Amino acid sequence: MKFVKLFEEVGTGDVALVGGKNASLGEMIRNLREKGVSVPSGFAITADAYKYVIEKAGIREKIRDTLADLDTHDMENLAMRGSKIREMVRNAPCPEDLKEEIRSAYRAMERRYGENVDVAVRSSATAEDLPTASFAGQQETYLNVRGEEELLVKVMECFASLFTNRAISYRVDKGFDHLNVYLSVGVQKMVRSDLSSAGVLFSIDTESGFKDAVYITGAYGLGENVVQGTVNPDQFYVFKPRLKEGFRPIVEKRLGSKKKKLIYKGTEAGTEQKDVKKEEQRRFVLSDDEVLALAKWACIIEDHYGMPMDIEWAKDGITNELFIVQARPETVHSQKDFAGIETYVLGEEGKLLVQGEAVGHKIGVGEVNVIESPSDIQKFKPGQVLVTTMTDPDWEPIMKVAGAIVTNRGGRTCHAAIISRELGIPCVIGTDNGTEVLKGVKEVTVDCSEGMGRIYEGKLKYRVDKIVFDDLPRPCTLIMMNAGVPENAFVQGQIPNDGVGLAREEFIINSYIGIHPLALIEYEQLRKRAEEDEKIASVIKEIDERSASYADKVQFFIDNLAMGIGKIGAGFYPNDVIVRLSDFKTNEYANLIGGHLYEPEESNPMLGWRGASRYYDEKFKPAFGLECKAIKKVREEMGLTNVKVMVPFCRTPEEGRKVIKTMEEFGLKQGEEGLEVYVMCEIPSNVILADEFADVFDGFSIGSNDLTQLTLGLDRDSDLVAHLFDERNEAVKRLVKHVIDAAHKHEPRRKIGICGQAPSDFPEFAEFLVECGIDSISLNPDAIISTRLNVAEVEKRIGKCI
C-alpha cells in the first residue's frame, strides 16, 4: 500500500512518515510485546496521504495566504483564520485511491476483530511527542468509530484538525512552520475501557521531576476524561528501584472522586458521559497487582526509549486485560537542569478561600478572571488568574499568559496540569467549586509551594530562594533533614543531603489517617454502640467517610501509615530515614476522630502519657502494633530497608527494653535485615544514664526542644516563660557534650545526631555540635545548604576529617 502502513511496519525512525504517536505505537508493538507490554494493533494513514489530499485539492497556497497576517494574541483573528482553514481541508475531496487503501486496511481489521470493528481514530503530527515539546492534545481524537464511511469522515476531520486554533498558536510559540508540519492518522482497535477504566501514567514524578517513581492516574470509562481533566482520578505512586528487584513498593494511593465516566453510546458509534455510582466512586479503579503491572511496563518502556515517558493505559472490561495505547517523551522535567532548585516561600498569612491539588511548586498572584467557556477567552488579560471548570487545548492561547490557573476538575495528568508544568505557571486543579467561590473576588494568591494547592484572598508577599548545588562541600558530619509531610519528600530528597534524621509519624497519622487507632481496632464494637449513642454514631460516620475504600478499617491505618513512611523512604533512598514512632500527647490524640473515647485528661500532657510509656501499656499496645505492622510493611513488602525507627520520650533503660520486646512481638526485630532502633535523647535521664541506654539502643538523636525544656524546668508552650527558653544555655550545652562523649566511648561505639530545632535556628549552635564531634545534624530543609557550608568551614578550622 502507498498511503497506509500497519503499526507493525513502523518504528521511531518513521516520525516524518507517520508522526510521533503512530511511530511510537509501532515501535512498542515491534519491540516490547515480547517483554509483556500489550499494545492494540491497527494501522497508520501516512503524512504522504495528507500531502496528497492538500495537493490534489490545490489548497496549499490558500492556507499560506490565510495565515499570512496571523496574530495569535488576537483571539478573534486566530479563531477566524483557524476556522477558515479547517473548512478548506474538511471539504477537500479525498482521492479515490486513498479511500480504497483506507477501506482495505479497515476490512482487514474486520476480518481479525469482527464486522464494524470499533476503532480509535487519532491524529499523529510529524512535529509532536518530541522530547522538547509535547503538542499534547493539539489535534483531534475520535473514539468508537465504526464502519468504513464513518472512518473516512473522521480521517478528514483529523486532517483538518492540524489547524485547530490551539495547534496554530502552539506551533507559533514553538517556532514551527505551519506548512512544514504534516499529519498522519492512526486507526487503532479500541480497548473496551468504557466497561472498565483507563488513565495516564508517567515514568517520572510530574511535580518534582523525581526520576525514581512511576506516577499513575486512572478513572472509570474511556481515558479521555482523565486526559481532558473532566474527572478527578485515582492516583498511585510506585518506587522504581525496588519494584525492579521484585518488591511491591506502592508508596501512595489516593482516591479520586471519579464522578463521570465516558462510555460507548449504546449500539451507536460515538461516546457519551454517564454518572458513576457512589459506591463505585469509593473504590480504586485498579488493584495493587494492576498498579504494579502498569509500573513495570512503564519501566520497560522508559528503558527502551532511554528517557522519561508519558503513557496512556486502558483496561478492557470484557477480558480484564491491561493495554498501553500511547507513549510519548515527557517534556518538562526531562529537560530540566538539576544543578539547583528554586524554593517559593509565602511571606504572610491570608484568608484561605479554596484549595485543591498543586501543580508545580510556585506561587502566583493576580486579578481573578472566571471564564466558563473557551468562546469567552478574548475577555482574558495577560497576568490574570484564570479560573475555570477545566481546560482543553482550546484554552492554550490564554494559558500561556496567565499569572496562575485554577480549575474545578482534573487530576495531575490532565491537560491543565501538563500545560501549566510546561509553561512553568502555578496551577491548582480539582478544587470542585473554585469558579463559584472565586466569582466576585478581585485578587488572589495561588500557592503551590507546600504540596497542597491553596488560593488566598488578596496579593500576598512571597519570596523565591535559589539554591545552587554546584561545588557544594561535603562535610564529614552528616547533614540530614527533618522531613515533615510525605508530599514534599520527592522534592526535598533532591536537595543534597545524607538522609532523614527525623520523620515524625504523627504528621502522617494526622494528614493521611486522622482517626484514633483504637477507634479503628474497635470499629465493630463502636458500630453496635452507635445505634444508641449519637456521639459515637458521628464518629462512625466520619470513620466511614475517611476510609470509604477499605472494608478492613485496621488495614486502612496500616496501609496509609506505611505509604506515608514509604514515600519519605523512597524520596531519600538509599540514605537512612529515621522514623520517630508516634509521639502524640493525650490532648493531641484526643483531637483525632474518636480520640475522646480513649484518651484520659491530664493536667500536663507534655510530661504525661506519651512516647515509650504508651507502647507497652496494655491499654495502647494494640494501637502501637499497627505502627509496627506499617513499618514492617515498608521494610519487607516495599523493600525500603533504609527506614529505621526511633523511640521518643523513653524515661528509663528498662522502659526501652520493654519497647524493644513489644516491637518484636509485632514482627519488628532489632537487628533483623539491618533494622536499627534509636532513642531520642530529650530527658536528662537519657544523658545521665547514656551508657545504659547505649546497651539497649543502636544510637541517639538529641531532641533539643524537650531537652532544653526539661533541663531548665519550663513549659515551652507557655508564653509567660518563653523568654527563658534557649538551647544555647550552658546547662543544655554541657548535657549535649556529655551524651556525645558517652555515645562515642561506648563499646560498641554508638551513633549520635541531633534532630531538634536549634541547629536550624542558630548557626553557632551547629558549630558547637561539630566541635563536640557529633555524627549527624538533622535540619529543616531551608537550612540544609547554609548549614552544610557552615559545618564545612568549622571542620576545616578545627581539622576534623583531614
Side-chain angles (χ1 to χ4, degrees):
M1 287 188 178
K2 185 178 177 185
F3 295 116
V4 170
K5 293 282 185 185
L6 298 177
F7 287 153
E8 287 83 352
E9 297 178 293
V10 297
T12 50
D14 298 305
V15 173
L17 182 66
V18 296
K21 195 174 291 146
N22 291 334
S24 182
L25 288 170
E27 182 74 14
M28 289 190 291
I29 288 172
R30 289 168 64 177
N31 296 289
L32 301 184
R33 271 186 175 171
E34 61 188 29
K35 295 182 179 180
V37 179
S38 298
V39 181
S41 290
F43 60 89
I45 301 162
T46 67
D48 289 341
Y50 165 81
K51 295 176 196 174
Y52 187 44
V53 168
I54 300 301
E55 179 190 323
K56 280 284 188 180
I59 59 176
R60 182 180 171 84
E61 291 309 312
K62 290 180 183 177
I63 294 172
R64 185 187 298 280
D65 291 344
T66 305
L67 293 170
D69 57 347
L70 172 72
D71 180 1
T72 58
H73 297 288
D74 181 336
M75 300 305 153
E76 290 182 13
N77 179 292
L78 173 62
M80 183 269 289
R81 288 166 206 287
S83 176
K84 188 175 179 180
I85 297 171
R86 288 195 299 277
E87 197 65 21
M88 266 187 237
V89 178
R90 198 180 291 118
N91 292 332
C94 184
E96 285 302 319
D97 52 345
L98 173 57
K99 281 186 181 179
E100 188 49 41
E101 281 199 30
I102 295 170
R103 287 193 174 107
S104 176
Y106 182 73
R107 288 181 202 132
M109 287 188 73
E110 285 186 309
R111 288 192 292 274
R112 181 173 178 181
Y113 296 111
E115 190 178 347
N116 254 20
V117 57
D118 50 337
V119 294
V121 182
R122 303 180 189 276
S123 307
S124 179
T126 55
E128 73 170 0
D129 296 350
L130 307 174
T132 54
S134 70
F135 284 78
Q138 298 303 319
Q139 288 83 38
E140 298 296 350
T141 290
Y142 300 96
L143 303 177
N144 190 23
V145 175
R146 297 166 184 260
E148 294 174 25
E149 297 312 311
E150 182 65 16
L151 174 58
L152 289 169
V153 170
K154 295 308 182 191
V155 168
M156 294 304 291
E157 292 279 359
C158 280
F159 284 159
S161 76
L162 186 59
F163 294 95
T164 58
N165 303 344
R166 71 240 187 187
I168 295 169
S169 175
Y170 195 89
R171 284 195 295 271
V172 169
D173 290 345
K174 294 293 181 181
F176 286 85
D177 185 324
H178 299 290
L179 293 173
N180 287 336
V181 176
Y182 308 106
L183 195 96
S184 167
V185 177
V187 179
Q188 186 178 34
K189 172 68 180 84
M190 286 287 293
V191 175
R192 291 303 304 270
S193 62
D194 62 304
L195 302 173
S196 184
S197 58
V200 179
L201 65 88
F202 285 80
S203 66
I204 188 174
D205 177 34
T206 55
E207 295 315 302
S208 65
F210 181 67
K211 293 184 178 180
D212 283 338
V214 174
Y215 175 55
I216 302 171
T217 62
Y220 294 113
L222 301 170
E224 294 302 294
N225 273 359
V226 177
V227 173
Q228 295 175 0
T230 309
V231 295
N232 298 339
D234 293 342
Q235 301 175 62
F236 311 87
Y237 276 106
V238 182
F239 184 53
K240 289 191 290 191
R242 299 308 267 165
L243 173 73
K244 291 177 179 179
E245 293 175 26
F247 292 96
R248 297 171 62 85
I250 300 174
V251 296
E252 185 172 312
K253 288 165 61 175
R254 193 179 300 179
L255 198 67
S257 54
K258 310 182 297 290
K259 292 178 181 176
K260 299 277 184 185
K261 61 180 174 180
L262 189 66
I263 60 169
Y264 280 15
K265 193 185 283 183
T267 55
E268 308 170 41
T271 59
E272 62 184 356
Q273 294 285 3
K274 183 180 178 183
D275 290 338
V276 176
K277 294 176 183 175
K278 200 75 176 175
E279 57 268 28
E280 287 182 314
Q281 291 179 37
R282 292 177 170 180
R283 291 199 297 266
F284 286 106
V285 297
L286 291 169
S287 69
D288 285 1
D289 285 344
E290 289 168 336
V291 169
L292 293 166
L294 287 174
K296 286 172 186 173
W297 284 0
C299 293
I300 291 168
I301 294 168
E302 179 181 67
D303 289 346
H304 178 76
Y305 283 93
M307 65 183 75
M309 298 295 288
D310 168 357
I311 302 162
E312 292 182 29
W313 65 271
K315 181 182 176 183
D316 194 298
I318 297 173
T319 65
N320 287 326
E321 292 176 279
L322 292 169
F323 291 90
I324 298 300
V325 294
Q326 282 192 53
R328 61 179 74 85
E330 192 276 341
T331 57
V332 179
H333 289 292
S334 56
Q335 303 302 309
K336 272 193 176 177
D337 176 8
F338 286 95
I341 193 169
E342 279 189 344
T343 305
Y344 282 68
V345 182
L346 199 60
E348 55 183 324
E349 293 184 5
K351 179 184 177 185
L352 180 64
L353 300 176
V354 68
Q355 62 185 28
E357 284 202 66
V359 176
H361 296 274
K362 293 185 177 180
I363 296 173
V365 298
E367 181 183 295
V368 174
N369 194 338
V370 179
I371 300 180
E372 298 283 6
S373 166
S375 61
D376 295 325
I377 62 176
Q378 70 276 4
K379 298 175 183 176
F380 190 81
K381 295 176 183 175
Q384 289 182 328
V385 175
L386 172 62
V387 182
T388 187
T389 301
M390 64 179 189
T391 70
D392 60 35
D394 287 330
W395 294 82
E396 285 175 29
I398 64 170
M399 292 174 75
K400 64 190 177 188
V401 296
I405 296 168
V406 178
T407 71
N408 290 350
R409 303 208 294 263
R412 287 194 289 166
T413 53
C414 74
H415 175 267
I418 289 172
I419 298 304
S420 296
R421 269 183 226 108
E422 196 168 300
L423 295 170
I425 294 171
C427 174
V428 177
I429 51 175
T431 60
D432 288 332
N433 59 349
T435 52
E436 294 173 33
V437 174
L438 299 179
K439 194 167 282 183
V441 176
K442 188 179 179 186
E443 295 175 328
V444 293
T445 298
V446 178
D447 179 15
C448 298
S449 66
E450 295 184 327
M452 174 67 75
R454 297 183 175 93
I455 294 92
Y456 297 99
E457 189 171 21
K459 289 186 176 181
L460 304 180
K461 293 176 184 175
Y462 67 92
R463 71 176 193 272
V464 182
D465 295 337
K466 294 185 179 180
I467 302 170
V468 179
F469 301 157
D470 290 351
D471 302 321
L472 269 182
R474 180 157 195 147
C476 295
T477 307
L478 298 180
I479 306 299
M480 304 178 83
M481 195 179 295
N482 294 337
V485 292
E487 285 84 353
N488 293 333
F490 290 170
V491 173
Q492 292 169 350
Q494 294 177 74
I495 299 171
N497 69 84
D498 295 305
V500 173
L502 174 65
R504 301 174 178 90
E505 264 192 20
E506 52 269 21
F507 279 12
I508 301 167
I509 293 169
N510 252 332
S511 59
Y512 277 45
I513 300 165
I515 305 166
H516 197 288
L518 290 175
L520 294 168
I521 290 169
E522 297 184 3
Y523 174 78
E524 291 302 329
Q525 295 96 302
L526 291 177
R527 264 181 44 149
K528 292 172 185 173
R529 291 169 58 193
E531 296 171 11
E532 300 171 0
D533 189 319
E534 283 186 20
K535 286 184 178 179
I536 293 178
S538 175
V539 168
I540 289 294
K541 184 182 178 184
E542 287 190 84
I543 290 174
D544 287 343
E545 284 176 0
R546 281 188 174 246
S547 60
S549 59
Y550 280 82
D552 184 340
K553 304 305 178 184
V554 165
Q555 200 61 44
F556 166 73
F557 185 98
I558 294 168
D559 285 357
N560 280 275
L561 180 55
M563 285 187 287
I565 294 169
K567 194 167 184 185
I568 297 173
F572 291 83
Y573 187 86
N575 288 332
D576 282 356
V577 170
I578 301 172
V579 175
R580 188 178 72 187
L581 300 167
S582 63
D583 192 25
F584 284 117
K585 290 78 176 173
T586 49
N587 58 326
E588 293 167 340
Y589 258 125
N591 287 331
L592 295 175
I593 295 166
H596 65 281
L597 300 172
Y598 301 99
E599 295 298 322
E601 284 192 24
E602 295 185 289
S603 57
N604 191 348
M606 187 73 80
L607 297 178
W609 195 36
R610 60 177 284 201
S613 60
R614 280 182 170 266
Y615 307 152
Y616 57 87
D617 190 309
E618 292 302 324
K619 295 191 291 293
F620 190 79
K621 188 175 177 180
F624 177 63
L626 304 190
E627 295 180 39
C628 295
K629 289 175 183 176
I631 291 169
K632 183 179 170 69
K633 179 173 182 173
V634 170
R635 289 176 53 83
E636 294 181 8
E637 187 176 309
M638 298 181 185
L640 294 165
T641 50
N642 60 319
V643 169
K644 313 293 172 68
V645 297
M646 182 154 63
V647 178
F649 227 76
C650 185
R651 293 171 169 97
T652 68
E654 181 53 35
E655 192 169 50
R657 290 188 183 89
K658 288 181 182 178
V659 171
I660 298 287
K661 183 173 180 292
T662 305
M663 285 172 56
E664 192 171 335
E665 287 176 34
F666 292 111
L668 272 187
K669 187 173 182 182
Q670 186 180 25
E672 205 166 77
E673 293 294 322
L675 176 61
E676 292 181 330
V677 183
Y678 293 79
V679 65
M680 289 289 292
C681 177
E682 53 193 342
I683 306 170
S685 64
N686 300 143
V687 179
I688 296 163
L689 299 177
D691 54 337
E692 292 184 38
F693 278 100
D695 290 334
V696 180
F697 295 101
D698 299 295
F700 298 84
S701 185
I702 299 165
S704 58
N705 292 350
D706 270 340
L707 186 60
T708 302
Q709 170 178 249
L710 296 173
T711 300
L712 300 179
L714 54 83
D715 180 353
R716 59 186 165 100
D717 289 342
S718 170
D719 292 337
L720 299 173
V721 291
H723 62 284
L724 293 170
F725 186 92
D726 190 341
E727 299 96 322
R728 295 165 296 178
N729 182 281
E730 188 58 32
V732 179
K733 289 172 71 175
R734 287 189 189 185
L735 290 180
V736 168
K737 185 174 188 324
H738 179 84
V739 75
I740 292 172
D741 290 342
H744 288 165
K745 286 175 184 172
H746 189 271
E747 289 294 338
R749 185 182 190 275
R750 296 304 190 193
K751 300 174 188 174
I752 183 161
I754 186 167
C755 60
Q757 188 70 24
S760 295
D761 290 347
F762 308 118
E764 67 271 29
F765 195 82
E767 289 183 29
F768 161 74
L769 293 168
V770 175
E771 289 168 353
C772 290
I774 201 159
D775 298 313
S776 64
I777 299 175
S778 193
L779 306 134
N780 296 335
D782 59 356
I784 288 281
I785 301 300
S786 59
T787 304
R788 187 166 175 155
L789 293 167
N790 184 30
V791 166
E793 281 296 315
V794 176
E795 288 185 352
K796 185 177 178 182
R797 176 166 51 79
I798 66 175
K800 183 177 179 180
C801 297
I802 293 176

